[in-house]
Structures are given as C-alpha cells and as structure tokens.
Amino acid sequence: SIPIKVTVSKALAITEIRMSIDYNPSYAFRKSSNRKDSASGISNNARLDLDVEPDSTITMDIKVENHLHGDDNDIRGAQATVTLEEIDDGNDIEAESNDLTLADGEEQWLTVQLKIPRKVEQKTYTLNIFVDGNGENGESHSDEWSIQMPIVKESHDVRFENVNLQQSIIPCGSSANLAVAIYNAGRNAENDLKLEVKNDALYLNHATDKIFLEIEKFDDESSFET
C-alpha cells in the first residue's frame, strides 16, 4: 500500500474579497480625510484593517470560481449572501448579490452592498459570506468565509438624526414648529452640548444648552430631541 494525501477542492469556491467604504457626509462633526476606506486581497478568517464607521456603506466584491471542468459543468444561479451578525441592536443585517452562471473553469465577481446602522456600538462584529449555486443536474455547490469587522468611532462625533420644519412658507406673524434630533455617534459621552437655531434676518436666536448625550448603548440618553 502507498499512503496518499488528498486535498478536496470545492466545486464553487470563494477565492478573493475586496471592499470599499462610502461615508455619509451629513453630520455635524467632520472627520479628516485620512480614513482607510478600501482593501483588496482579503482572505478567509481575516480581521479587517479598515475604518468602518456608523452610517457608512460597504461595497464588497466577491470573486467566485467554478472548479468543475469538462462539458455541461456550468454552475447556475451563483449568488452571494452577506450577513453581519448582531450589529443592529442585537439583530443581524443581511444583503444579497445578483445571481449569475459560471461556466466550467470560469471566475467572476459578485457584488454586495451593506449599510451599517447609524446607531451601533464600537466593537468587532462577525461578517459571514456565503455563496451557493446549482450544477447541471441540480446538485448544490457552496462555499463560506468569515471575516472579523471592527467598527470604529471618532472620539467626539455628534450627528443630526432629523431636522424637520413643519412649514416651508410661513406668513408674517404666524408660527411654525421645527423638530431637531441629534445623537451621539462618538465613543465618548458629551457633557455640555449646545444646540442653536439662528437667523439674523428674522431675528431668530434660540439656544438649548447643557445637553448630555451618553455613548451609544441603544438607550434614550444617547439621543436628544426638541
């Protein structure tokens, strides 16, 4: 007898992941432009070295390959499902790519976009990437990767959650309501915030001070509305 070492190759395999991040610019605190917002060559079980922030949008390109060879060995309906575990107040968020057909020996990219919640704790979350498809005879083929994704926050980062003027046109002598909501997206509590509503031409100057915002732990004290 002769000992033989055998390595089993998946018919449908993830071979590479690349990622880019888009940031929401509409908040009060403006961060400097030195974010690390893209990476390529990401492998299975990697820990991301990217600045993934609250309310950012992740675009993932997932390279998949059909390892089958020969005639009639297409993989149809190949699709990626990405799940970020327990990030939305303990709940998962999930997104899917479009599906495609892989000819034998062919590789292509699947694209998935995932929106990070506005309110999220700063810690490391597990990102699962699952791809599956069907062979010519209906057999199922799949592969799965896992990536560790840290969420990073600025030391101080206060953002508007809502600004809503009840009426866009106001007759002289009348009144209207302005609803304003802010929340703490940073990693430190804010002890002495001031919110101002001003318009010199209309002699408006309203201020609310001594506002306290706790760090985000999905409680009411991390937000303020007036």
Side-chain angles (χ1 to χ4, degrees):
S1 63
I2 301 174
I4 298 176
K5 183 178 180 180
V6 177
T7 300
V8 178
S9 176
K10 291 178 175 290
L12 175 63
I14 303 170
T15 58
E16 182 187 344
I17 292 175
R18 62 192 183 198
M19 187 179 300
S20 62
I21 305 170
D22 292 317
Y23 302 96
N24 186 346
S26 58
Y27 54 87
F29 180 85
R30 299 284 178 169
K31 183 181 175 179
S32 60
S33 60
N34 61 349
R35 297 181 176 104
K36 188 171 183 182
D37 59 5
S38 63
S40 58
I42 301 169
S43 58
N44 190 18
N45 298 316
R47 179 181 173 87
L48 287 180
D49 182 23
L50 291 174
D51 292 329
V52 184
E53 296 184 358
D55 206 22
S56 58
T57 300
I58 299 170
T59 300
M60 298 182 62
D61 295 317
I62 303 159
K63 184 186 283 187
V64 291
E65 185 174 355
N66 179 358
H67 284 171
L68 299 175
H69 295 280
D71 297 334
D72 298 326
N73 274 322
D74 293 355
I75 295 179
R76 302 182 183 279
Q79 184 179 48
T81 302
V82 175
T83 305
L84 193 51
E85 295 183 350
E86 300 180 354
I87 193 172
D88 189 13
D89 195 8
N91 298 313
D92 300 345
I93 60 174
E94 187 175 281
E96 295 181 341
S97 71
N98 293 329
D99 61 81
L100 50 79
T101 296
L102 289 167
D104 54 282
E106 183 183 14
E107 61 182 19
Q108 291 195 49
W109 293 89
L110 296 169
T111 300
V112 179
Q113 281 198 333
L114 202 63
K115 179 72 172 178
I116 303 299
R118 289 184 299 176
K119 296 184 178 182
V120 58
E121 292 187 63
Q122 177 172 291
K123 65 179 187 179
T124 300
Y125 297 88
T126 299
L127 182 69
N128 291 317
I129 303 99
F130 178 77
V131 297
D132 67 330
N134 297 311
E136 291 288 350
N137 297 318
E139 70 276 15
S140 179
H141 302 290
S142 64
D143 196 8
E144 186 171 8
W145 279 19
S146 180
I147 295 171
Q148 296 302 302
M149 177 183 288
I151 297 294
V152 298
K153 292 188 172 187
E154 285 297 293
S155 177
H156 298 280
D157 186 355
V158 177
R159 307 188 184 191
F160 288 104
E161 185 171 16
N162 177 49
V163 178
N164 182 33
L165 185 63
Q166 187 183 43
Q167 296 170 259
S168 59
I169 299 176
I170 308 169
C172 293
S174 63
S175 61
N177 290 327
L178 175 67
V180 180
I182 59 176
Y183 68 99
N184 187 7
R187 62 175 184 266
N188 290 307
E190 301 292 346
N191 296 311
D192 192 15
L193 292 174
K194 184 178 182 180
L195 175 66
E196 292 184 323
V197 179
K198 301 174 69 174
N199 185 295
D200 293 338
L202 296 176
Y203 304 102
L204 295 177
N205 189 353
H206 175 81
T208 303
D209 57 11
K210 298 181 180 179
I211 299 171
F212 171 77
L213 293 181
E214 183 58 272
I215 58 174
E216 180 54 61
K217 291 184 178 178
F218 303 101
D219 55 33
D220 293 338
E221 290 189 340
S222 64
S223 302
F224 173 79
E225 297 181 36
T226 186

